[in-house]
PDB file of all heavy atoms in Angstrom:
ATOM      1  N   VAL A 147       4.518  26.095   8.689  1.00  0.00           N
ATOM      2  CA  VAL A 147       3.947  25.888   7.358  1.00  0.00           C
ATOM      3  C   VAL A 147       2.641  26.656   7.234  1.00  0.00           C
ATOM      4  O   VAL A 147       1.843  26.697   8.174  1.00  0.00           O
ATOM      5  CB  VAL A 147       3.669  24.396   7.081  1.00  0.00           C
ATOM      6  CG1 VAL A 147       3.115  24.196   5.670  1.00  0.00           C
ATOM      7  CG2 VAL A 147       4.927  23.570   7.259  1.00  0.00           C
ATOM      8  N   ALA A 148       2.418  27.237   6.060  1.00  0.00           N
ATOM      9  CA  ALA A 148       1.153  27.894   5.757  1.00  0.00           C
ATOM     10  C   ALA A 148       0.493  27.191   4.579  1.00  0.00           C
ATOM     11  O   ALA A 148       1.111  27.019   3.533  1.00  0.00           O
ATOM     12  CB  ALA A 148       1.378  29.367   5.415  1.00  0.00           C
ATOM     13  N   LEU A 149      -0.743  26.769   4.779  1.00  0.00           N
ATOM     14  CA  LEU A 149      -1.549  26.195   3.707  1.00  0.00           C
ATOM     15  C   LEU A 149      -2.573  27.241   3.289  1.00  0.00           C
ATOM     16  O   LEU A 149      -3.335  27.742   4.119  1.00  0.00           O
ATOM     17  CB  LEU A 149      -2.256  24.928   4.190  1.00  0.00           C
ATOM     18  CG  LEU A 149      -1.339  23.817   4.719  1.00  0.00           C
ATOM     19  CD1 LEU A 149      -2.169  22.661   5.254  1.00  0.00           C
ATOM     20  CD2 LEU A 149      -0.393  23.333   3.633  1.00  0.00           C
ATOM     21  N   VAL A 150      -2.583  27.560   2.008  1.00  0.00           N
ATOM     22  CA  VAL A 150      -3.472  28.601   1.496  1.00  0.00           C
ATOM     23  C   VAL A 150      -4.343  28.004   0.392  1.00  0.00           C
ATOM     24  O   VAL A 150      -3.830  27.451  -0.580  1.00  0.00           O
ATOM     25  CB  VAL A 150      -2.666  29.788   0.927  1.00  0.00           C
ATOM     26  CG1 VAL A 150      -3.612  30.874   0.414  1.00  0.00           C
ATOM     27  CG2 VAL A 150      -1.711  30.345   1.976  1.00  0.00           C
ATOM     28  N   GLY A 151      -5.646  28.089   0.568  1.00  0.00           N
ATOM     29  CA  GLY A 151      -6.565  27.627  -0.461  1.00  0.00           C
ATOM     30  C   GLY A 151      -7.117  26.230  -0.262  1.00  0.00           C
ATOM     31  O   GLY A 151      -7.979  25.798  -1.036  1.00  0.00           O
ATOM     32  N   THR A 152      -6.661  25.516   0.756  1.00  0.00           N
ATOM     33  CA  THR A 152      -7.184  24.162   0.955  1.00  0.00           C
ATOM     34  C   THR A 152      -8.660  24.186   1.338  1.00  0.00           C
ATOM     35  O   THR A 152      -9.382  23.216   1.094  1.00  0.00           O
ATOM     36  CB  THR A 152      -6.391  23.397   2.033  1.00  0.00           C
ATOM     37  OG1 THR A 152      -6.388  24.150   3.247  1.00  0.00           O
ATOM     38  CG2 THR A 152      -4.961  23.167   1.577  1.00  0.00           C
ATOM     39  N   GLU A 153      -9.108  25.287   1.928  1.00  0.00           N
ATOM     40  CA  GLU A 153     -10.527  25.382   2.283  1.00  0.00           C
ATOM     41  C   GLU A 153     -11.416  25.447   1.050  1.00  0.00           C
ATOM     42  O   GLU A 153     -12.622  25.179   1.121  1.00  0.00           O
ATOM     43  CB  GLU A 153     -10.773  26.600   3.187  1.00  0.00           C
ATOM     44  CG  GLU A 153     -10.717  27.955   2.506  1.00  0.00           C
ATOM     45  CD  GLU A 153      -9.294  28.461   2.258  1.00  0.00           C
ATOM     46  OE1 GLU A 153      -8.325  27.735   2.578  1.00  0.00           O
ATOM     47  OE2 GLU A 153      -9.151  29.592   1.732  1.00  0.00           O
ATOM     48  N   ARG A 154     -10.834  25.794  -0.111  1.00  0.00           N
ATOM     49  CA  ARG A 154     -11.605  25.785  -1.358  1.00  0.00           C
ATOM     50  C   ARG A 154     -11.617  24.392  -1.985  1.00  0.00           C
ATOM     51  O   ARG A 154     -12.511  24.085  -2.764  1.00  0.00           O
ATOM     52  CB  ARG A 154     -11.019  26.799  -2.343  1.00  0.00           C
ATOM     53  CG  ARG A 154     -11.105  28.250  -1.875  1.00  0.00           C
ATOM     54  CD  ARG A 154     -10.799  29.224  -3.004  1.00  0.00           C
ATOM     55  NE  ARG A 154      -9.444  29.065  -3.496  1.00  0.00           N
ATOM     56  CZ  ARG A 154      -8.391  29.721  -3.032  1.00  0.00           C
ATOM     57  NH1 ARG A 154      -8.544  30.552  -2.008  1.00  0.00           N
ATOM     58  NH2 ARG A 154      -7.187  29.545  -3.540  1.00  0.00           N
ATOM     59  N   VAL A 155     -10.624  23.594  -1.668  1.00  0.00           N
ATOM     60  CA  VAL A 155     -10.589  22.218  -2.176  1.00  0.00           C
ATOM     61  C   VAL A 155     -11.668  21.375  -1.503  1.00  0.00           C
ATOM     62  O   VAL A 155     -12.378  20.606  -2.151  1.00  0.00           O
ATOM     63  CB  VAL A 155      -9.200  21.590  -1.935  1.00  0.00           C
ATOM     64  CG1 VAL A 155      -9.207  20.106  -2.324  1.00  0.00           C
ATOM     65  CG2 VAL A 155      -8.136  22.341  -2.724  1.00  0.00           C
ATOM     66  N   GLN A 156     -11.795  21.522  -0.199  1.00  0.00           N
ATOM     67  CA  GLN A 156     -12.811  20.776   0.538  1.00  0.00           C
ATOM     68  C   GLN A 156     -13.437  21.671   1.605  1.00  0.00           C
ATOM     69  O   GLN A 156     -13.069  21.613   2.774  1.00  0.00           O
ATOM     70  CB  GLN A 156     -12.227  19.518   1.168  1.00  0.00           C
ATOM     71  CG  GLN A 156     -13.296  18.550   1.672  1.00  0.00           C
ATOM     72  CD  GLN A 156     -12.718  17.203   2.042  1.00  0.00           C
ATOM     73  OE1 GLN A 156     -11.509  17.022   2.097  1.00  0.00           O
ATOM     74  NE2 GLN A 156     -13.589  16.246   2.292  1.00  0.00           N
ATOM     75  N   PRO A 157     -14.430  22.479   1.196  1.00  0.00           N
ATOM     76  CA  PRO A 157     -15.105  23.350   2.165  1.00  0.00           C
ATOM     77  C   PRO A 157     -15.791  22.519   3.251  1.00  0.00           C
ATOM     78  O   PRO A 157     -16.061  21.327   3.072  1.00  0.00           O
ATOM     79  CB  PRO A 157     -16.142  24.096   1.302  1.00  0.00           C
ATOM     80  CG  PRO A 157     -15.650  23.960  -0.108  1.00  0.00           C
ATOM     81  CD  PRO A 157     -14.945  22.647  -0.165  1.00  0.00           C
ATOM     82  N   VAL A 158     -16.070  23.156   4.377  1.00  0.00           N
ATOM     83  CA  VAL A 158     -16.754  22.468   5.465  1.00  0.00           C
ATOM     84  C   VAL A 158     -18.074  21.891   4.951  1.00  0.00           C
ATOM     85  O   VAL A 158     -18.872  22.587   4.313  1.00  0.00           O
ATOM     86  CB  VAL A 158     -17.020  23.434   6.636  1.00  0.00           C
ATOM     87  CG1 VAL A 158     -17.848  22.737   7.715  1.00  0.00           C
ATOM     88  CG2 VAL A 158     -15.710  23.931   7.220  1.00  0.00           C
ATOM     89  N   GLY A 159     -18.300  20.613   5.184  1.00  0.00           N
ATOM     90  CA  GLY A 159     -19.523  19.954   4.756  1.00  0.00           C
ATOM     91  C   GLY A 159     -19.415  19.232   3.428  1.00  0.00           C
ATOM     92  O   GLY A 159     -20.263  18.396   3.097  1.00  0.00           O
ATOM     93  N   ALA A 160     -18.358  19.528   2.650  1.00  0.00           N
ATOM     94  CA  ALA A 160     -18.189  18.862   1.356  1.00  0.00           C
ATOM     95  C   ALA A 160     -17.631  17.458   1.567  1.00  0.00           C
ATOM     96  O   ALA A 160     -16.655  17.273   2.294  1.00  0.00           O
ATOM     97  CB  ALA A 160     -17.261  19.674   0.457  1.00  0.00           C
ATOM     98  N   ARG A 161     -18.218  16.452   0.925  1.00  0.00           N
ATOM     99  CA  ARG A 161     -17.777  15.072   1.109  1.00  0.00           C
ATOM    100  C   ARG A 161     -16.549  14.749   0.272  1.00  0.00           C
ATOM    101  O   ARG A 161     -15.721  13.937   0.668  1.00  0.00           O
ATOM    102  CB  ARG A 161     -18.906  14.105   0.746  1.00  0.00           C
ATOM    103  CG  ARG A 161     -20.115  14.171   1.671  1.00  0.00           C
ATOM    104  CD  ARG A 161     -21.101  13.074   1.353  1.00  0.00           C
ATOM    105  NE  ARG A 161     -20.512  11.748   1.502  1.00  0.00           N
ATOM    106  CZ  ARG A 161     -21.117  10.620   1.163  1.00  0.00           C
ATOM    107  NH1 ARG A 161     -22.347  10.668   0.630  1.00  0.00           N
ATOM    108  NH2 ARG A 161     -20.523   9.456   1.332  1.00  0.00           N
TER     109      ARG A 161
END
Side-chain angles (χ1 to χ4, degrees):
V147 182
L149 302 176
V150 181
T152 56
E153 74 281 2
R154 296 193 297 270
V155 174
Q156 193 169 10
V158 175
R161 294 187 60 187

